[in-house]
């Protein structure tokens, strides 16, 4: 029946006389037996030739859903009639009806999905023609439903995905149709499919992966195209990864045409996106395979982007970008890298040439293409490269910086106008399946690490400032900060939001040090300072966000030195709250810890600081230095520090531990703060003396503090 209800074959007068006679008999049927006999005749007439939509609708009007429903559910067949014949007749009628899209979406069809799904896995004689016809009709019904707007959702809810998986794995009649329909459902509703039938889909993936590993004919190239759809959103089973890697190694290690190689590269890219390098075995074979992947990807990128006027296969090049990104990650990994140093050197040189091609391509991009996904993917791979390497291609990168700033600004402003902010933090797929006409994305997040490196260098920094990057970064920081503020569910935010905020802070720190005049004259930094001041008090109290708090505190302290004359820093509630929170961050880093067998404690990191001190210590020392610089500029700060009891508690801490346990750089940082507080305020000096400050200063050889406290 699968092909029996296709386009029209009209008689000269538009009617099939035989079918008309049978329909008349059906309408005049007085009982089930007569109706059943008439239905058999109608079905026979339908099978004898194609019918048009009007005739199909007339059959439906004559038959309706009631009798087919009974045929599908009846458990008692007439004597001498196999039980599946009635069901086959019911399915044949439904298949005829489903050729009409309106009827395929009818509730009376949709509620048959669970029943139809069971027919796919029902046991029976595989050579029975009637049973085969019923299976074909069943697939026709389900395929028609899948083609309706809400059809995939109904099929998934009705258990069709599991039934299709079992039908495919059973390799019975029609299993190829099961796979085709599975592919369609996964393409339409991947997340829902995996949610409803993960064990069955994983079983299919295992079967496909094993077939792929063993294939020696052209089927392996077809499997390359199918397999990406069957990769789960969660963990890929290890045995599948082994089979997929082995199959790809054989394919990519051979001399291939582009139509054979490209699907393999796209499959490898999906695996890289899903699993990083975990799917590639360690050792010589794995390193050679990874080097081959990156080499092929770079060659493909150069061929596609360096040839002026050629049509770029965007899906293939985007996949190659993913493989290049994997290569960048492995080349910069210090521990447990799959690559040896000579391989890294060679791949960096090859990737440099490919990145040069990407830059060349981006230089040609006009305004009309800036919202296209492929441009975004190209900016992404460039951002990944700049995050690790800015010394090579410096001239080309500097020439492209105006475009990158304008591009990031365009996408940022479009996203701000047209999309909810929470949608802008979602991670973007490495390889879009069906690019739309516009694709606003968070390009700034991708460029931040590279810009962080570039703001250290005079030339690139001047270009970024000239093009308005600092103002854009301030707006972006404030926008992203809103996502972490009270009223937003921070548990659903990806890590990239917080990492992006930290990287913005690093860029601003670079600008504070290298371009202090910009901080003083650009109004956007005043707004940034206000946000830092109001945000830090709550941030330092939040668990698990110490590194971000350190960035905010240190940046705010450094900016406060430059903006010390601003009215907002003259002892306002916001400024007092900020410095109190900064003192909390700086003062809680170290504690006295008892040591076995010793009467004296040692200075040790606080538990919360200890695990991240490698990332934190530079910010902490810089923050101590910045706070020290703020004390003489803000007359109200020393009395505020005294009220917080920080100088007293600091001296108490130093007095309770062995001086040998305090490193010289710690002694210098502590002395800097204590000296400035003592110089700025008489009450501070008195409080320090009462806390045995002079004796402590002598023990730690803090000559400047000792001298300051000895003065009236």
């Amino acid at each position: 029946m699968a092909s029996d209800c296709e386009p029209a074959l009209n008689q000269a007068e538009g009617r099939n006389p035989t079918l008309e006679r049978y329909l008349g008999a059906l309408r005049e049927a007085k009982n089930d037996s007569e109706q059943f006999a008439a239905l058999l005749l109608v079905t026979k007439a339908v099978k004898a030739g194609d019918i048009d939509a009007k005739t199909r609708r007339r059959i439906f009007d004559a038959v309706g859903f009631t009798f087919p429903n009974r045929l599908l559910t009846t458990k008692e067949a007439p004597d001498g009639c196999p039980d599946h014949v009635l069901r086959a007749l019911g399915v044949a009628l439904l298949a005829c009806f489903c050729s009409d899209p309106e009827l395929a979406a009818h509730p009376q069809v949709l509620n048959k999905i669970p029943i139809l799904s069971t027919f796919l896995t029902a046991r029976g004689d595989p050579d029975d023609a009637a049973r085969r016809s019923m299976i074909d009709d069943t697939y026709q019904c389900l395929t028609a439903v899948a083609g309706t707007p809400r059809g995939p959702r109904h099929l998934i809810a009705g258990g069709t995905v599991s039934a299709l998986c079992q039908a495919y794995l059973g390799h019975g009649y029609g299993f190829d149709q099961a796979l085709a329909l599975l592919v369609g459902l996964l393409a339409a509703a991947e997340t829902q499919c995996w949610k409803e039938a993960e064990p069955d889909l994983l079983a299919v993936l295992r079967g496909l992966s094993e077939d792929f590993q063993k294939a020696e004919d052209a089927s392996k190239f077809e499997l390359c195209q199918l397999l990406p759809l069957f990769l789960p959103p969660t963990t890929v089973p290890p045995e599948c990864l082994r089979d997929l890697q082995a199959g790809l190694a054989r394919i990519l290690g051979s001399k291939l045409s582009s139509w054979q190689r490209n699907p393999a590269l796209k499959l490898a890219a999906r695996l890289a996106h899903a699993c990083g390098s975990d799917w590639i075995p360690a050792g010589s074979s794995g390193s050679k395979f990874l080097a081959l992947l990156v080499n092929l990807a770079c060659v493909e990128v150069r061929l596609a982007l360096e040839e002026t006027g050629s049509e770029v296969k965007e899906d293939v090049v985007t996949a190659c970008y993913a493989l290049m990104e994997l290569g960048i990650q492995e080349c910069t990994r210090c521990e447990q890298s799959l690559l040896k140093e000579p391989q890294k050197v060679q791949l960096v040189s090859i990737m440099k040439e490919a990145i040069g091609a990407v830059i060349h391509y981006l230089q040609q991009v006009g305004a009309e293409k800036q919202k296209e996904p492929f441009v975004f993917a190209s900016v992404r791979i460039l951002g990944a490269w700049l995050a690790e390497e800015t010394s090579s291609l410096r001239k080309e990168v500097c020439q492209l910086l105006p475009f990158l700033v304008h591009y990031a600004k365009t996408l940022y402003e479009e996203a701000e106008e047209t999309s909810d902010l929470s949608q802008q933090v979602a991670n973007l797929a490495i390889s879009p399946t069906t690019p739309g006409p516009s694709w606003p994305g968070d390009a700034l997040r991708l460029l931040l690490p590279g810009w962080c490196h570039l703001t250290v260098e005079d030339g690139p920094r001047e270009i970024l400032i000239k093009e308005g990057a600092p103002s854009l970064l301030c707006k972006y920081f404030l926008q992203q900060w809103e996502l972490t503020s009270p009223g937003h569910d921070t548990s659903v935010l990806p890590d990239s939001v917080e990492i992006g905020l930290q990287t913005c802070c690093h860029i601003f720190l670079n600008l504070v040090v290298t371009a202090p005049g910009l901080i003083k004259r650009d109004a956007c930094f005043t707004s940034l300072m206000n946000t830092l001041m109001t945000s830090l008090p709550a941030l330092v109290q939040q668990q698990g966000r110490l590194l971000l708090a350190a960035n905010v505190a240190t940046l705010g302290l450094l900016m406060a030195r430059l903006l010390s004359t601003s009215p907002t820093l003259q002892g306002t509630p916001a400024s007092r709250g900020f410095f109190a929170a900064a003192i909390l961050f700086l003062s809680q880093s170290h504690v006295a810890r008892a040591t076995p067998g010793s009467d004296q404690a040692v200075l040790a990191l606080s538990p919360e600081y200890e695990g991240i001190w490698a990332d934190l210590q530079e910010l902490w020392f810089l923050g101590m230095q910045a706070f020290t610089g703020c004390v003489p500029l803000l007359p109200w700060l020393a009395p505020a520090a005294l009220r917080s009891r920080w100088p007293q508690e600091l001296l108490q801490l130093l007095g309770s531990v062995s001086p040998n346990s305090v490193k010289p750089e710690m002694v210098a940082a502590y002395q800097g703060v204590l000296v400035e507080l003592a110089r700025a305020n008489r009450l501070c000096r008195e409080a320090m003396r009462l806390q045995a400050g002079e004796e402590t200063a002598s023990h730690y050889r803090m000559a400047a503090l000792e001298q300051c406290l000895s003065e009236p």
Side-chain angles (χ1 to χ4, degrees):
M1 183 68 201
S3 61
D4 295 334
C5 297
E6 296 295 318
L9 178 64
N10 294 325
Q11 299 292 328
E13 289 157 359
R15 296 284 179 94
N16 181 327
T18 304
L19 178 60
E20 292 303 317
R21 187 167 63 253
Y22 294 160
L23 286 175
L26 179 61
R27 284 190 291 269
E28 296 170 3
K30 297 181 175 57
N31 53 50
D32 284 354
S33 296
E34 292 182 2
Q35 193 170 24
F36 176 61
L39 279 172
L40 287 175
L41 293 173
V42 169
T43 305
K44 180 180 178 182
V46 169
K47 286 180 178 293
D50 293 337
I51 57 173
D52 59 19
K54 290 183 179 179
T55 305
R56 188 184 306 119
R57 178 60 77 157
R58 292 181 60 250
I59 295 174
F60 171 72
D61 292 339
V63 176
F65 280 117
T66 302
F67 200 65
N69 289 348
R70 292 173 59 189
L71 291 173
L72 290 172
T73 57
T74 185
K75 296 182 180 178
E76 296 183 3
D79 292 340
C81 178
D83 58 357
H84 68 271
V85 170
L86 297 182
R87 291 195 295 272
L89 178 58
V91 176
L93 289 168
L94 278 185
C96 179
F97 298 160
C98 285
S99 298
D100 183 333
E102 184 179 341
L103 292 179
H106 195 284
Q108 287 286 355
V109 172
L110 299 178
N111 65 22
K112 303 300 182 300
I113 290 173
I115 298 174
L116 293 171
S117 297
T118 63
F119 296 163
L120 301 179
T121 55
R123 295 182 178 180
D125 182 0
D127 297 323
D128 187 322
R131 187 175 295 279
R132 288 192 171 199
S133 179
M134 184 177 74
I135 292 174
D136 287 336
D137 290 340
T138 300
Y139 280 118
Q140 182 172 334
C141 291
L142 297 176
T143 301
V145 172
T148 64
R150 301 169 70 88
R153 189 184 71 174
H154 290 292
L155 291 173
I156 294 166
T160 302
V161 176
S162 291
L164 291 170
C165 290
Q166 293 165 25
Y168 174 75
L169 292 170
H171 275 67
Y173 179 76
F175 78 98
D176 53 337
Q177 298 181 70
L179 184 62
L181 188 49
L182 265 179
V183 167
L185 290 177
L186 284 167
E190 178 186 13
T191 302
Q192 294 88 336
C193 286
W194 281 101
K195 184 178 179 180
E196 290 295 326
E198 181 173 349
D200 295 303
L201 285 169
L202 286 176
V204 173
L205 174 62
R206 289 187 182 94
L208 291 173
S209 301
E210 187 175 349
D211 292 344
F212 179 61
Q213 192 272 335
K214 294 178 180 178
E216 298 291 346
D217 55 12
S219 65
K220 60 187 176 184
F221 302 115
E222 297 172 4
L223 287 168
C224 272
Q225 296 177 332
L226 286 178
L227 279 163
L229 288 167
F230 287 88
L231 294 179
T234 53
T235 305
V236 181
E239 64 273 21
C240 295
L241 292 178
R242 286 193 298 271
D243 287 341
L244 293 173
Q245 190 276 330
L248 282 171
R250 282 210 312 276
I251 290 177
L252 294 174
S254 306
K255 188 175 181 180
L256 303 171
S257 61
S258 59
W259 74 266
Q260 295 169 321
R261 180 178 60 253
N262 291 346
L265 290 173
K266 291 164 71 173
L267 174 58
R270 283 295 304 271
L271 288 168
H273 186 45
C275 311
S277 61
D278 292 344
W279 61 288
I280 301 175
S284 175
S285 63
S287 64
K288 289 179 180 178
F289 175 70
L290 176 57
L292 174 65
L293 273 182
V294 179
N295 264 292
L296 289 173
C298 290
V299 169
E300 191 68 34
V301 168
R302 291 189 62 188
L303 288 174
L305 301 185
E306 288 181 348
E307 294 182 11
T308 306
S310 62
E311 183 179 351
V312 177
K313 295 180 180 178
E314 296 180 354
D315 56 340
V316 178
V317 178
T318 305
C320 292
Y321 286 165
L323 298 175
M324 287 175 58
E325 196 165 337
L326 178 63
I328 293 170
Q329 292 168 0
E330 285 300 315
C331 285
T332 55
R333 180 178 294 180
C334 298
E335 297 180 0
Q336 297 182 331
S337 174
L338 292 170
L339 299 170
K340 297 177 181 178
E341 283 305 314
Q343 290 175 311
K344 290 182 179 181
V345 172
Q346 183 184 25
L347 285 183
V348 167
S349 176
I350 293 169
M351 287 190 289
K352 175 184 172 182
E353 295 176 350
I355 291 297
V358 174
I359 293 175
H360 172 74
Y361 166 76
L362 290 174
Q363 288 171 335
Q364 317 304 316
V365 171
E368 72 282 358
K369 287 190 174 183
Q370 287 192 11
K371 296 173 188 175
E372 293 184 0
F374 182 66
V375 175
F376 189 96
S378 300
V379 171
R380 176 190 175 109
I381 187 59
L382 178 59
W385 173 264
L386 293 177
E388 305 295 343
E389 173 58 59
T390 57
S391 59
S392 62
L393 298 171
R394 181 176 301 180
K395 179 182 177 181
E396 293 83 353
V397 169
C398 287
Q399 291 174 343
L400 191 66
L401 279 179
F403 165 80
L404 293 176
V405 175
H406 177 75
Y407 177 76
K409 183 179 180 181
T410 299
L411 265 63
Y412 167 79
E413 291 175 347
E414 168 129 342
E416 191 176 46
E417 292 173 4
T418 62
S419 304
D420 184 80
L421 292 181
S422 62
Q423 296 300 312
Q424 298 310 307
V425 300
N427 286 328
L428 292 161
I430 291 249
S431 179
T433 51
T434 310
S438 64
W439 193 33
D442 189 358
L444 263 174
R445 175 175 61 85
L446 309 177
L447 294 169
L448 288 177
W451 286 8
C452 187
H453 298 315
L454 292 170
T455 48
V456 178
E457 304 176 28
D458 293 340
R461 181 177 63 252
E462 290 175 4
I463 296 173
L464 288 170
I465 292 173
K466 179 182 177 182
E467 297 298 328
S471 177
L472 175 61
L473 288 169
C474 283
K475 293 177 183 178
Y476 178 76
F477 181 90
L478 298 177
Q479 178 214 62
Q480 295 290 290
W481 191 265
E482 280 296 313
L483 298 172
T484 69
S485 62
H488 290 80
D489 184 4
T490 57
S491 64
V492 301
L493 293 177
D495 293 340
S496 59
V497 174
E498 191 146 318
I499 293 172
L501 290 170
Q502 293 175 22
T503 310
C504 279
C505 287
H506 295 167
I507 295 175
F508 295 140
L509 286 171
N510 290 340
L511 294 175
V512 167
V513 174
T514 60
L518 175 70
I519 308 300
K520 293 178 180 179
R521 69 174 180 266
D522 198 321
C524 70
F525 287 102
T526 301
S527 300
L528 176 62
M529 185 70 211
N530 291 337
T531 298
L532 299 179
M533 288 196 299
T534 57
S535 303
L536 186 62
L539 184 61
V540 294
Q541 304 290 342
Q542 297 175 18
Q543 293 291 325
R545 308 191 74 191
L546 180 57
L547 193 55
L548 180 59
N551 278 278
V552 171
T554 304
L555 175 60
L557 290 169
L558 283 167
M559 289 180 62
R561 288 196 311 182
L562 299 175
L563 302 175
S564 59
T565 59
S566 170
T568 59
L569 285 165
Q570 307 310 311
T572 60
S575 62
R576 290 180 180 275
F578 169 78
F579 276 94
I583 288 172
L584 195 64
F585 159 66
L586 295 171
S587 65
Q588 292 187 338
S589 61
H590 290 78
V591 295
R593 183 175 298 168
T595 56
S598 176
D599 296 335
Q600 229 176 352
V602 297
L603 188 71
L605 286 167
S606 302
E608 188 180 3
Y609 287 66
E610 191 169 14
I612 58 172
W613 186 246
D615 298 319
L616 199 64
Q617 60 177 337
E618 186 177 352
L619 290 168
W620 186 87
F621 280 109
L622 195 55
M624 291 287 285
Q625 181 183 350
F627 185 91
T628 300
C630 287
V631 173
L633 299 174
L634 302 172
W636 60 269
L637 184 53
L642 182 62
R643 286 192 295 273
S644 74
R645 295 193 54 78
W646 185 26
Q648 300 96 309
E649 292 173 357
L650 180 50
L651 287 168
Q652 183 180 5
L653 174 65
L654 291 173
S656 65
V657 301
S658 167
N660 292 332
S661 68
V662 186
K663 296 179 180 179
E665 60 267 26
M666 294 294 300
V667 173
Y670 285 147
Q671 179 177 223
V673 170
L674 292 170
V675 166
E676 287 300 332
L677 290 174
R679 287 174 178 169
N681 187 269
R682 177 180 57 82
L683 294 177
C684 280
R685 292 194 296 275
E686 293 177 359
M688 290 183 196
R689 293 191 190 104
L690 291 174
Q691 196 63 50
E694 291 177 274
E695 181 181 351
T696 301
S698 177
H699 286 161
Y700 285 89
R701 298 181 180 179
M702 296 179 177
L705 178 60
E706 190 173 6
Q707 180 181 351
C708 186
L709 294 180
S710 66
E711 298 173 355

